[in-house]
């Protein structure tokens, strides 16, 4: 499953795996794909260095990358405390009322939230990059538009390719004009922040819009047959995220959450602003329902919503409050029916890819059998 891009990066399969878990990222690279570690949760000093050290020691010399969440436009002089002060008291009370209605206990004395969306902030993302460029990363991906021009220039100076996610051909052209090397066309089916155009429609539109830049297809892809379809549409690889959540190497905080993901169907997700303030596909839960209800206060814009619900999400996860417990995940969750190793997932993807190619060859009369 090789393309010009996979050969350029020195990987066996054109499978790019985004994950917040170092063990999963390393396993993807070892299995012949390209592991990409999500950096947004690394806000404490030393955490990112620790995990990049670990990845470096466990990829067997194979390439890997880093994904940051960095705004293209810099906002000067804004601190996390400044943003916190902008959250209305009514929204804070709504959160507490919802947690109380489901009997969610408080955190223990001295316990802090373990989940905060602060990696979007300019100073946090730049700190992450200063760490990252000390490691042999081969790809820097940005999930929030094109990175600032100086970051793109720095990456290129370090010999690092830059990728950016796009939900429309218009976004993709902006990335091309900003000097981005790879565009990830992320369709409506994807987990996390996503637009409104389906992958099957979006991928060829983006391929045409940014030619000859390489395009990766993302959103709703979890089988080798789907990967073959993406390459048939002009993509040079696939970008997979949700499918790794139930890998045995993943570090999801709750067995209850794993069970819910394995039991969910493709119709059990929803695009909701409940988690970050931007539309993000996630498992539908009582938590997303109350935020999306007409009688609710409505989600705040990003990043206010993420800061508002940070402690609540930590409490829900810690105490495994099943009706409220969810996670960002794409519609491919319906195919995630068992816990498997990363290697087993990659093997299944490559076998499916071979089946699809053989099927098309037979249809086209080119089969050797």
């Amino acid at each position: 499953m090789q393309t010009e891009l996979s050969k350029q990066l020195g990987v066996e399969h054109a499978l790019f795996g985004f994950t917040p878990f170092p063990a999963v990222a390393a396993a993807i690279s070892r299995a012949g794909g390209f592991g990409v570690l999500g950096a947004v949760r690394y806000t404490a000093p030393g955490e990112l260095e620790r995990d990049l050290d670990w990845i470096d020691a466990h990829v067997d010399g194979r390439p890997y990358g880093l994904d940051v969440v960095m705004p293209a436009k810099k906002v000067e002089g804004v601190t996390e405390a400044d943003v916190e002060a902008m959250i209305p008291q009514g929204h804070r009370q709504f959160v507490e009322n919802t947690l109380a209605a489901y009997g969610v206990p408080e955190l223990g004395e001295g316990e802090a939230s373990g989940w905060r969306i602060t990696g979007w902030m300019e100073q946090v993302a730049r700190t992450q990059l200063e760490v990252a460029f000390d490691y042999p990363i081969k790809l820097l991906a940005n999930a929030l538009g094109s990175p600032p021009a100086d970051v793109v220039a720095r990456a290129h100076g370090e010999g690092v390719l830059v990728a950016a996610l796009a939900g429309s051909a218009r976004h993709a052209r902006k990335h091309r004009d900003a000097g981005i090397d790879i565009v990830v066309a992320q369709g409506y089916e994807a987990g996390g922040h996503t637009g409104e155009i389906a992958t099957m429609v979006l991928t060829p539109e983006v391929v045409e819009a940014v030619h000859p830049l390489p395009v990766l297809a993302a959103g709703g892809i979890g089988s080798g047959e789907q990967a073959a379809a993406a390459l048939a549409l002009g993509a040079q690889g696939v970008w997979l995220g949700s499918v790794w959540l139930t890998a045995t190497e993943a570090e999801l905080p709750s067995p209850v959450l794993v069970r819910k993901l394995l039991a969910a169907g493709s119709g059990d997700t929803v695009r909701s602003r409940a988690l970050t303030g931007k539309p993000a596909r996630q498992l539908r839960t009582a938590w997303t329902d109350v935020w999306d209800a007409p009688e609710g206060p409505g989600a705040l814009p990003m990043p206010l919503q993420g800061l508002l619900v940070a402690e609540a999400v930590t409490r829900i996860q810690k105490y495994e409050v099943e009706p409220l417990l969810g996670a960002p995940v794409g519609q491919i969750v319906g195919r995630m029916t068992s816990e498997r190793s990363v290697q087993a997932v990659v093997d299944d993807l490559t076998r499916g890819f071979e089946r699809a190619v053989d099927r098309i060859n037979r249809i086209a009369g080119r089969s050797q059998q």
Side-chain angles (χ1 to χ4, degrees), residues 16-19 36-39 66-72 139-147 152 161-176 178 180-195 197 199 202 206 210 213-220 238-242 278-281:
F16 294 74
F18 164 81
T19 174
V36 181
L37 179 68
L66 193 74
D67 178 281
V68 297
V69 179
M70 191 174 196
L139 176 70
L140 174 67
N142 190 41
L144 201 63
S146 303
V152 176
L161 296 180
V162 181
L165 275 65
S168 70
R170 178 175 61 86
H171 292 155
R173 282 189 286 267
K174 286 185 176 181
H175 295 334
R176 176 201 61 197
I180 300 304
D181 304 293
I182 302 166
V183 177
V184 181
Q186 180 169 276
Y188 171 86
E189 306 95 324
H193 296 133
T194 184
I197 305 173
T199 305
L202 179 65
V206 171
V210 302
L213 288 186
V215 172
L216 301 177
V238 290
W239 178 274
L240 311 176
S242 297
K278 279 183 162 299
R281 186 169 297 285

Side-chain angles (χ1 to χ4, degrees), residues 354-369:
E354 290 171 357
R355 285 194 301 269
V357 172
D358 287 345
R359 186 181 304 125
I360 294 302
N361 280 335
R362 288 196 300 273
I363 292 170
R366 293 192 297 265
S367 176
Q368 300 299 311
Q369 298 178 0

Side-chain angles (χ1 to χ4, degrees), residues 16 22 45 61 93 215-216 253-254 289 296 315 330:
F16 294 74
Q93 190 61 53
V215 172
L216 301 177
S254 162
D289 285 348
R315 288 164 61 183

Side-chain angles (χ1 to χ4, degrees), residues 18 20 186-195 199 218-223 226 239-246 252 257 260-272 275 279-284 326-337:
F18 164 81
Q186 180 169 276
Y188 171 86
E189 306 95 324
H193 296 133
T194 184
T199 305
I221 300 172
S223 74
Q226 290 170 310
W239 178 274
L240 311 176
S242 297
V243 73
W244 314 111
L245 288 174
T246 52
L252 281 178
L257 176 57
K260 289 185 72 172
L261 289 170
L262 295 176
S266 56
D268 292 328
T269 68
V270 63
R271 280 175 80 242
S272 172
L275 191 61
R281 186 169 297 285
Q282 55 203 280
L283 203 62
R284 182 176 181 177
V329 68
Q331 291 179 331
I332 198 63
V333 70
R335 293 183 63 93
M336 296 156 51
T337 57

Side-chain angles (χ1 to χ4, degrees), residues 21-277:
F21 306 123
V24 175
I28 293 168
S29 290
R30 288 199 308 272
F34 191 98
V36 181
L37 179 68
V40 71
R41 68 190 180 100
Y42 292 99
T43 56
E47 287 183 337
L48 185 56
E49 293 98 324
R50 176 200 66 204
D51 283 356
L52 288 177
D53 281 340
W54 191 93
I55 289 176
D56 243 10
H58 290 84
V59 293
D60 296 343
R62 302 195 180 192
Y64 63 94
L66 193 74
D67 178 281
V68 297
V69 179
M70 191 174 196
K73 295 181 179 178
K74 184 174 181 177
V75 180
E76 298 281 359
V78 178
T79 68
E80 185 177 332
D82 295 332
V83 178
E84 287 267 16
M86 298 168 65
I87 298 174
Q89 183 56 38
H91 280 72
R92 295 187 187 277
Q93 190 61 53
F94 179 78
V95 169
E96 286 307 315
N97 291 347
T98 302
L99 296 176
Y102 286 88
V104 183
E106 298 274 357
L107 293 177
E109 186 175 350
E111 277 190 277
S113 166
W115 183 92
R116 295 184 74 78
I117 294 294
T118 55
W120 62 272
M121 298 181 75
E122 174 81 10
Q123 63 269 32
V124 175
R126 285 189 177 273
T127 299
Q128 293 166 345
L129 292 177
E130 286 303 315
V131 171
F133 287 132
D134 285 336
Y135 290 82
I137 63 170
K138 299 300 182 185
L139 176 70
L140 174 67
N142 190 41
L144 201 63
S146 303
D150 69 296
V151 171
V152 176
R154 169 80 184 275
H156 288 164
E158 300 279 353
V160 176
L161 296 180
V162 181
L165 275 65
S168 70
R170 178 175 61 86
H171 292 155
R173 282 189 286 267
K174 286 185 176 181
H175 295 334
R176 176 201 61 197
D177 295 344
I180 300 304
D181 304 293
I182 302 166
V183 177
V184 181
Q186 180 169 276
Y188 171 86
E189 306 95 324
H193 296 133
T194 184
E196 299 182 356
I197 305 173
T199 305
M200 191 79 173
V201 175
L202 179 65
T203 300
E205 287 185 353
V206 171
V207 168
E208 182 178 350
V210 302
H211 179 78
L213 288 186
V215 172
L216 301 177
I221 300 172
S223 74
E225 288 84 356
Q226 290 170 310
L231 268 58
L233 293 172
Q236 287 203 30
V238 290
W239 178 274
L240 311 176
S242 297
V243 73
W244 314 111
L245 288 174
T246 52
T248 52
E249 294 92 340
E251 303 159 28
L252 281 178
S254 162
V256 175
L257 176 57
V258 173
R259 188 169 69 243
K260 289 185 72 172
L261 289 170
L262 295 176
S266 56
D268 292 328
T269 68
V270 63
R271 280 175 80 242
S272 172
R273 299 178 184 269
L275 191 61
T276 69

